[in-house]
Amino acid sequence: MFKRITTLLCLALFALAPFRAATAQQGQRLNLIRDAEIESTIRTFTIPIWKAAGLDPNGVEIMLVQDGSLNAFVAGGQRIFINTGLIMRTERPNQLVGVMAHESGHIAGGHLARMQEELRSLSTMQILETILAGGAMAGGVAGGAGAGGSGGGHGGGTGRPMAPGSLMSFLKYTQTQESAADQAAITYLQRTGQSPKGTVEFLRYLQREEKLAINRRDPYLTTHPLTPERISAFEQAAANSPYANTPDTPQFLMLHQRMVAKLYGFVAPDAALQRYAEADRSLPARYARAIALYRKGALGSALLTIDGLLKEYPNDPYFHEVRAQMLYENGRAAESIPSYRRAVQLAPSAAILKIDLARALLDVSNPDNIREAMRNLDLASQQESGNFELWRLMASGYSQLNDQGMTSLARAEMAALRGQRAEAQAHAEAAARQLTAGTPAWQRAQDLKAYINSRPRK
């Protein structure tokens, strides 16, 4: 959902449906969102790049940041954070692929090796705390305001806090790494038969942004080489590449158009209704309008629009998901369940959809719904073991089933993800007492206790 673009609060997740919004402490904001469709689209674009870089696609995480500024960076091992503002301002897939190739170059080049050992074992939520407190970022391609700033785009924050000293110190060492990541990106584009021209186009856009923002930028947050140098390198690569004029495929173009339309609908509904006029009957335009109308409170019109799309595309899982979200977010959880079920049937590998279905099922609580919810959460946990919302729902479901041992275990997982050592230890010990010795759940409780004891005390 766009609540599925699910937004995560830095220290606690609050469900917004495709979006769940997250706010850090002390006024600093890094709003993460989860969306099955957008994550799938970016992965589809980038998997060939990861393979060319020698990376395991299953080991790389895409983290969507709801921020209107232009930025992408790598933090905590193989996590690529990318701002919604950057995605929305790409005009075609090849431009976004160039950004992702650059960030993949940071991962393949081990540019966070200084801190990877410390960060690798942390949860995403703990990584966010580290970043907001002044932790490691590599590969910022910021244009305008830096990460966490308001930029001038859609959905940004209300202001950019001063960068912590430790972050500034770290960024001083990234200039040569940025150049190396650019060279790696050029290599990956060549190996995958893709053009460097999209990167040239996007860097030119960055160059214009830099000129406009030069008087308000923090020079320490300029974590990429000067834009003219980067453009020159990619222009030379394009001149020498046999794939320079390779066009984006129709499939990639549609995926990109849908992704941008969806982001506009959720992040900037007023702008979406202006950008995608009623006379535009294309799929992306109707998709954007349906979501924007829902976000503006016009549920009836939104449902009519998404139902029109479903009549033409009855097997599109993400149209079913958005319809379910519209209903769920408007207090109609029972009506949302059939649409969520259909979305899960059509996209069985999308664990986030299973979590959304489980949430709706638990809201309409009866024994059959609870059991169905727990089956879906169990399946989702195989892919989303670091998802705080999954364990919150697990704890809720097991509590309704009066299963004290599994409730304690789920709460231990929640506390561990938040980095709350004492609480995690207490729940894990309770689970070990309440569960049958020798069962997989009991063993997991033992493993959690051992993990917590192995972590250094702050």
Side-chain angles (χ1 to χ4, degrees), residues 189-197 237-238 240-247:
L189 292 169
Q190 176 79 11
R191 289 177 182 172
T192 56
Q194 300 187 76
S195 174
K197 284 187 175 180
N240 296 330
S241 173
Y243 309 108
N245 296 316
T246 300

Side-chain angles (χ1 to χ4, degrees), residues 120-135:
R120 184 178 292 120
S121 62
L122 300 183
S123 70
T124 295
M125 297 176 77
Q126 290 169 296
I127 293 294
L128 296 180
E129 287 188 85
T130 302
I131 292 170
L132 290 169

Side-chain angles (χ1 to χ4, degrees), residues 22-346:
T23 302
Q25 293 177 340
Q26 300 176 346
Q28 301 183 40
R29 304 180 66 181
L30 187 64
N31 298 327
L32 287 187
I33 60 175
R34 296 295 307 277
D35 185 83
E37 180 179 13
I38 294 175
E39 291 176 23
S40 174
T41 293
I42 295 175
R43 294 187 74 84
T44 298
F45 291 168
T46 316
I47 281 175
I49 294 292
W50 290 334
K51 290 181 177 178
L55 300 172
D56 178 4
N58 294 322
V60 184
E61 293 183 68
I62 299 295
M63 314 301 295
L64 301 173
V65 182
Q66 186 184 348
D67 189 302
S69 64
L70 295 170
N71 202 15
F73 57 90
V74 173
Q78 299 192 80
R79 295 176 175 96
I80 299 178
F81 292 73
I82 183 166
N83 283 13
T84 55
L86 186 152
I87 297 170
M88 292 164 71
R89 276 180 270 184
T90 57
E91 297 176 346
R92 61 191 186 95
N94 189 238
Q95 295 178 356
L96 182 57
V97 169
V99 173
M100 297 303 292
H102 172 91
E103 301 307 324
S104 300
H106 282 296
I107 295 175
H111 294 166
L112 286 179
R114 284 195 296 128
M115 294 185 133
Q116 275 183 353
E117 287 304 317
E118 178 180 351
L119 296 180
R120 184 178 292 120
S121 62
L122 300 183
S123 70
T124 295
M125 297 176 77
Q126 290 169 296
I127 293 294
L128 296 180
E129 287 188 85
T130 302
I131 292 170
L132 290 169
M137 293 191 296
V141 293
S150 60
H154 314 285
T158 58
R160 177 163 60 89
M162 292 297 292
S166 57
L167 175 56
M168 290 184 173
S169 176
F170 176 81
L171 293 180
K172 292 178 183 178
Y173 297 96
T174 65
Q175 298 295 326
T176 57
Q177 294 173 350
E178 288 295 299
S179 296
D182 275 347
Q183 290 303 313
I186 290 168
T187 299
Y188 305 153
L189 292 169
Q190 176 79 11
R191 289 177 182 172
T192 56
Q194 300 187 76
S195 174
K197 284 187 175 180
T199 312
V200 174
E201 296 163 3
F202 193 70
L203 289 176
R204 283 176 176 159
Y205 182 85
L206 280 179
Q207 185 180 44
R208 293 193 295 272
E209 288 287 299
E210 283 193 335
K211 290 178 179 178
L212 291 172
I214 194 67
N215 292 326
R216 59 184 173 87
R217 292 191 69 197
D218 187 332
Y220 286 98
L221 295 179
T222 305
T223 60
H224 53 280
L226 292 175
T227 300
E229 297 175 4
R230 302 186 73 188
I231 292 175
S232 177
F234 278 97
E235 283 180 335
Q236 186 63 40
N240 296 330
S241 173
Y243 309 108
N245 296 316
T246 300
D248 292 299
T249 66
Q251 177 200 9
F252 274 26
L253 286 168
M254 178 52 69
L255 288 173
H256 181 267
Q257 290 166 13
R258 284 181 56 148
M259 174 172 61
V260 171
K262 190 173 195 178
L263 284 168
Y264 265 98
F266 274 108
V267 172
D270 290 322
L273 292 173
Q274 294 179 358
R275 178 185 175 98
Y276 300 98
E278 181 70 30
D280 186 346
R281 305 303 297 167
S282 68
L283 185 157
R286 286 185 288 165
Y287 199 21
R289 287 200 302 273
I291 295 168
L293 288 167
Y294 144 68
R295 294 285 285 171
K296 295 287 290 180
L299 179 61
S301 297
L303 287 171
L304 282 174
T305 306
I306 200 69
D307 285 345
L309 286 170
L310 280 166
K311 185 175 181 179
E312 294 179 42
Y313 306 96
N315 294 322
D316 190 302
Y318 305 116
F319 292 164
H320 286 283
E321 176 202 20
V322 167
R323 185 180 191 278
Q325 183 180 345
M326 291 176 179
L327 293 167
Y328 181 85
E329 291 293 311
N330 281 277
R332 295 161 65 175
E335 294 175 70
S336 75
I337 289 172
S339 292
Y340 275 135
R341 282 191 182 123
R342 186 60 179 149
V344 169
Q345 290 170 357
L346 292 168

